[in-house]
Structure formats: structure tokens, C-alpha cells
Amino acid sequence: MTVKLYNTLSRTKEIFKPIRAREVGLYTCGPTVYNYAHIGNLRTYLFEDILKRTLVYNGYTVKHVMNITDVGHLTGDRDMGEDKLEKGAQREGKTAWEIAAYYTRAFQKDIERLNILDPTIWCKATDTIPEQIALIRTLEEKGFTYHTRDGIYFDTARFPDYTRLSHQNLDALQEGARVEKNPEKRNATDFALWKFSPEGVQRQMEWDSPWGVGFPGWHIECSAMSMKYLRDQLDIHCGGTDHIDVHHTNEIAQSEAATGKPFFNFWMHGAFLIIAGGKKMAKSEGNFLTLENAFVNQAIDPLAYRFAAFLTHYRKPMEYSADAIEGARNGLQHLRNQVRTLQEKAGDIAAQGTGNAEFRAKFMTEINDDLNMPRAMAVVQELLKSDLDASVKLATLYDFDNVLGFDLAQVDQEEKLPEDIQRMADERLQARADKNWALSDELRDAIQDRGYLVQDTPQGTKVFKP
Ligand code: AMP
Ligand code: ZN
């Protein structure tokens, strides 16, 4: 089977071919860890998870590298503004290192809740400063850099193919340069490779360098880390569509300028999660929903978001609405109920092998067609409606679940409770063991307020959604 993927470089769907025969090098730009990820960010990680699972389903091994941006991502565009980490530290009265560690863990918890597979290698920008400095030195030796009062910049005019990925109109950008706040920049598109710590200011995160104490620009980390960990396996590089014009364009320019070789063969980008009226979800727009507040705290299984994300193709904007989420929640619950029914019917001979070959081929055709999850989900419905034996259906579904990631084989008779309800149920059990009846009653009320029923029976306590 061939896998076709849309390559932003060529603006077409291409047959995917990795550099090595069976192992794919995949680099996905990771989070900037100064705040929680919003569910827009998480949509991009879900798309990348489907990409990876599809490649694995096709028999490839995937070496997946994800970075954690824990320094150097400034609040303003074009290398102006404050460092997001240092700003987060001020806001929360913690150190920048504490902020990074806290939000890295929060991000990892989010992706775990969404059944997004862990990368093979996690890497932090602050762990690869020497590699970033070495890359900047190479660029300097080759004459691609210049010095300004606030840093070392990449001269984009020296890289003729600068707009290969973005197809931007450079004249229009130069026009915009007249409102640029940094008059020392030679071209509007030039970007910082290294920024100096401002005079008289001791930053929490700063390093010595051949040019002076400071910190790396945001783009250089992804070039340094992908080259360090993937070396000659630069197959696919991903992120959200907002990365096309600046971040990925700059990564390509500096990497190819340094090595003289192509930097990644495939560039893939996930479209945005938007809210009603077409606005993108972004921290700066004040319409920021996290997995915690939009799902966990509303007693909605985060996997309902995974389900919702699959109903829109990753290259189309996805509109967030409470109704869409409610629909996905019901859809997931319905799917799980059908799996339970099949499990009961199939009994002991449940789920052997990889299931029905015809449905497997249909499913594969869809996912291999540039990850067409809406159509793959339609194949799931078709399978459920088919007259195949329960055990064959189940085996086929479990096989699909390697890509879908809904944990269908773990669906048992009891529906899994949302984390916070489970936590309250556990605390209530402890309160009862301690004979703390007041607390136990309080917890029962709290659980019931959230729409769950609590029944104490001689066999134990049952908590369930009526
Ligand atoms: P950041 O933490 O800001 O570096 O973003 C992490 C990832 O989320 C990047 O790949 C962004 O392109 C992506 N992203 C940001 N906003 C959205 C959104 N509203 N919808 C989908 N992806 C997004
Ligand atoms: Zn990146």
C-alpha cells in the first residue's frame, strides 16, 4: 500500500517515500511551555499522532522527535518583545525553570489523556544550547549572519530560495518593513539567531556565547535538534499552519544555508481550531480553552475531543462549539456501547487476528489518502452496520484502533469515570473507611451535582452516569 501525504513544499499530495526503506524520521514542533496548551494546539498534536500511527500501521518504524521550547520564544513577532518563559515566571512568581518544568508536565499529561503516543525522543531547547551555538557559528563562517546591538541575525537576502515553503510575496513584506521596530535589520524577514541579554538585566536563562551573554532565537532550536537526533533521516517535519510563513521558513533557510543540503523532504501542517465567527483559538484572543477546563472539569472524557477532531480533515479549519463536542461525546459513547454489545455476543471467541481483510483495505485506503479520518470514521460505521460475525467485527475494530486510539479493547462493562469523578469517588471510599460520614455525604453530593449517581450496595459502591 502506498501512503499519500500533502506536502506543503509542493502544494500537492505526494506518494510518501522515506529516505531509509522502513524507518521514518519525524520531527514535530513542540509546545512553548509558559502556559497550558489550548485545545487548538492539541488539535495539531492529534493530527501528528494520526500521521505517526498511520505510518506504523503501514509497517514503518517511526523515529519521532518532539522539542520543548523552554527559552527564546518572544511574545512579539519578528524577534521583538519579552521571552514568554521569563514573562510567565514574573506572572506566577516562580522561576523560568519552574514554569518550564510545570507546563511541560501539564502538556505531557494532556497528550496522555488524548492517547497521543509519546515521541521516541523528547528534547528541550535548553539542553541543546551548545549545538545551537555551533550551528550559528557555521552560519557566521559561511557569511549568512550580521551583528546588531541586540543580537546576531540571519540575512535572508543571502538565501535566494527563502520563500520556497511559504510562497510569500517578499516585496509586500519589505513594504511592511517600514513599520518595523528594529531599524538595524537589513530585511524585514531577517531573524535573530542569538539575542543578547539586555544591558543591566540579569536574565534567569542566559548563556555565554562567542558573541556575548544571551539566549538563542526561537527557530534555531528546531534546526539544531532535528539535525542532532535525526541526522540523515530528515523525512517529515510538522506543525500548525501558522508555522509556514515564519518558523518553518526560517528553519529551512538557516539549515540549508549551514549544510548545503535539503532540510526535510516533507512539510506537513495542520489547520487551525477556530471558534464561531472564524476567529482562531489563541491565548492572545482570550478564547483559550484547555483540556482541563473544557473536558475534564465538565465530566467529558478527553477522548471525545479525539473523536471530534477526526470528523474534520486535518487540512480544514475545525470549528469548536459546545454542540460539536456534545455530538462527539455521544458518538464515542455510542461506539463504546456497540463494542460492549459485540464483546457480549462474541463471548470467548472474541477478536482474533486482524479481522476482515476487505474492511481493513477500505480503512487503509482512507487513512493512506492524506490521513482522511472523516472517511475512515465512515468506514467504522459501515463495519458496525455490516452483517459480519460479532467476533470478526470486533477483531477488525481492535485493529483499526491501532490508528484510532480509542482504547476500544479496554472498554469493559463499566464505563470509565472521568478523572475528577473517580478521584472524588476514591476520596469518598476513604472517608467511609475513616467513618467520616460528613465528608462522605459532602462528596456524594458533589459527585451527584456533576450528574453521576452514587449507590452503596453490599457488594461495594457504584458510581455511574444514569
Ligand atoms: P506553540 O506552543 O504556540 O508553539 O504551539 C504549538 C502548536 O500548536 C504549533 O504547532 C502551532 O502551530 C499549533 N497551534 C497554535 N494555535 C493553534 C490553533 N488554534 N489550532 C491548531 N493548532 C494551533
Ligand atoms: Zn519548531
Side-chain angles (χ1 to χ4, degrees):
M1 275 276 201
T2 51
V3 182
K4 278 199 192 153
L5 300 174
Y6 184 87
N7 189 348
T8 308
L9 269 178
S10 64
R11 301 281 198 271
T12 55
K13 274 193 232 173
E14 293 178 27
I15 292 179
F16 173 67
K17 211 171 163 303
I19 296 162
R20 293 194 192 166
R22 299 307 309 165
E23 195 187 38
V24 180
L26 172 68
Y27 187 91
T28 56
C29 288
T32 308
V33 284
Y34 69 110
N35 205 333
Y36 294 104
H38 57 66
I39 58 174
N41 302 134
L42 293 169
R43 180 187 184 205
T44 292
Y45 299 107
L46 280 167
F47 134 63
E48 293 160 350
D49 188 54
I50 283 302
L51 167 65
K52 176 167 156 186
R53 287 172 180 264
T54 295
L55 293 168
V56 171
Y57 195 78
N58 277 272
Y60 292 109
T61 309
V62 178
K63 184 170 179 188
H64 175 198
V65 179
M66 174 148 26
N67 66 303
I68 298 283
T69 300
D70 55 357
V71 68
H73 192 170
L74 304 186
T75 49
D77 284 342
R78 308 244 176 249
D79 304 309
M80 308 296 280
E82 293 169 90
D83 183 307
K84 289 183 174 178
L85 265 292
E86 303 252 341
K87 196 175 170 203
Q90 274 169 21
R91 183 187 67 219
E92 297 187 22
K94 293 183 185 159
T95 68
W97 300 96
E98 283 165 349
I99 291 285
Y102 176 82
Y103 288 111
T104 301
R105 272 197 305 278
F107 174 73
Q108 289 170 331
K109 189 163 181 194
D110 279 348
I111 66 166
E112 191 189 323
R113 282 167 165 161
L114 288 171
N115 271 351
I116 291 173
L117 301 174
D118 261 338
T120 324
I121 296 170
W122 289 104
C123 46
K124 294 195 286 186
T126 52
D127 282 343
T128 47
I129 302 292
E131 288 84 350
Q132 296 176 58
I133 291 177
L135 196 53
I136 302 169
R137 285 203 75 139
T138 306
L139 290 169
E140 188 177 40
E141 279 158 24
K142 295 196 172 185
F144 285 98
T145 65
Y146 61 92
H147 225 103
T148 71
R149 264 172 304 164
D150 74 348
I152 304 294
Y153 280 76
F154 183 91
D155 186 348
T156 51
R158 308 224 34 200
F159 188 75
D161 220 5
Y162 183 71
T163 55
R164 189 166 86 234
L165 182 73
S166 66
H167 301 191
Q168 282 163 298
N169 177 342
L170 272 189
D171 292 339
L173 277 175
Q174 291 298 357
E175 186 60 21
R178 290 193 284 147
V179 291
E180 266 289 338
K181 294 195 184 65
N182 185 349
E184 287 183 83
K185 267 167 66 167
R186 293 182 188 163
N187 310 288
T189 44
D190 292 356
F191 55 92
L193 297 163
W194 188 262
K195 292 270 288 190
F196 303 131
S197 296
E199 205 142 322
V201 175
Q202 160 103 57
R203 280 174 48 94
Q204 295 182 37
M205 289 179 161
E206 58 182 16
W207 293 265
D208 264 337
S209 82
W211 313 281
V213 175
F215 58 102
W218 169 36
H219 319 295
I220 196 76
E221 67 173 89
C222 287
S223 293
M225 286 189 257
S226 54
M227 288 187 211
K228 173 172 180 176
Y229 295 107
L230 294 175
R231 292 166 176 272
D232 55 352
Q233 284 182 277
L234 304 177
D235 287 308
I236 311 177
H237 197 126
C238 304
T241 45
D242 57 327
H243 282 349
I244 298 172
D245 286 353
V246 180
H247 184 50
H248 288 167
T249 285
N250 292 348
E251 281 190 48
I252 292 175
Q254 67 198 4
S255 305
E256 298 193 355
T259 64
K261 291 191 212 141
F263 181 64
F264 284 95
N265 294 333
F266 275 77
W267 289 82
M268 296 180 66
H269 295 97
F272 263 33
L273 179 75
I274 53 173
I275 52 159
K279 268 199 168 172
K280 68 176 184 174
M281 180 168 289
K283 292 165 201 178
S284 51
E285 300 280 348
N287 54 18
F288 178 113
L289 292 175
T290 63
L291 203 59
E292 186 92 14
N293 61 30
F295 289 82
V296 179
N297 294 344
Q298 309 297 323
I300 303 175
D301 185 335
L303 289 184
Y305 187 53
R306 196 176 165 94
F307 192 101
F310 294 171
L311 302 180
T312 306
H313 189 265
Y314 81 90
R315 284 197 290 119
K316 292 213 175 94
M318 168 180 168
E319 192 167 306
Y320 173 85
S321 71
D323 283 353
I325 297 304
E326 188 56 27
R329 178 194 201 176
N330 291 337
L332 179 62
Q333 195 159 0
H334 187 57
L335 176 61
R336 285 175 170 158
N337 290 342
Q338 284 173 300
V339 170
R340 282 191 200 104
T341 310
L342 289 172
Q343 284 171 340
E344 278 163 19
K345 278 197 194 149
D348 291 344
I349 50 151
Q352 284 158 10
T354 53
N356 179 275
E358 199 183 316
F359 271 99
R360 190 180 151 89
K362 274 191 185 180
F363 183 77
M364 222 163 160
T365 302
E366 303 306 354
I367 57 172
N368 287 0
D369 180 15
D370 194 32
L371 319 177
N372 199 325
M373 293 309 290
R375 289 216 308 261
M377 294 291 275
V379 175
V380 172
Q381 293 309 321
E382 211 186 305
L383 168 72
L384 287 167
K385 287 198 197 104
S386 72
D387 48 17
L388 291 173
D389 273 359
S391 68
V392 178
K393 270 191 196 174
L394 212 46
T396 316
L397 271 179
Y398 289 168
D399 175 60
F400 291 178
D401 203 41
N402 289 313
V403 176
L404 300 173
F406 292 137
D407 281 346
L408 294 180
Q410 271 86 55
V411 171
D412 46 27
Q413 302 309 314
E414 298 287 337
E415 196 187 339
K416 208 169 140 213
L417 295 172
E419 277 173 54
D420 59 332
I421 303 287
Q422 186 63 54
R423 196 168 51 232
M424 287 194 273
D426 292 345
E427 279 168 20
R428 184 170 175 276
L429 275 187
Q430 188 57 48
R432 286 169 64 82
D434 299 341
K435 303 209 182 324
N436 184 345
W437 308 117
L439 179 61
S440 151
D441 286 350
E442 206 177 292
L443 284 162
R444 179 217 303 264
D445 291 346
I447 295 171
Q448 294 191 343
D449 282 350
R450 300 285 302 281
Y452 286 78
L453 279 185
V454 180
Q455 273 178 2
D456 295 312
T457 71
Q459 287 76 38
T461 298
K462 271 184 80 176
V463 178
F464 59 98
K465 187 131 201 160

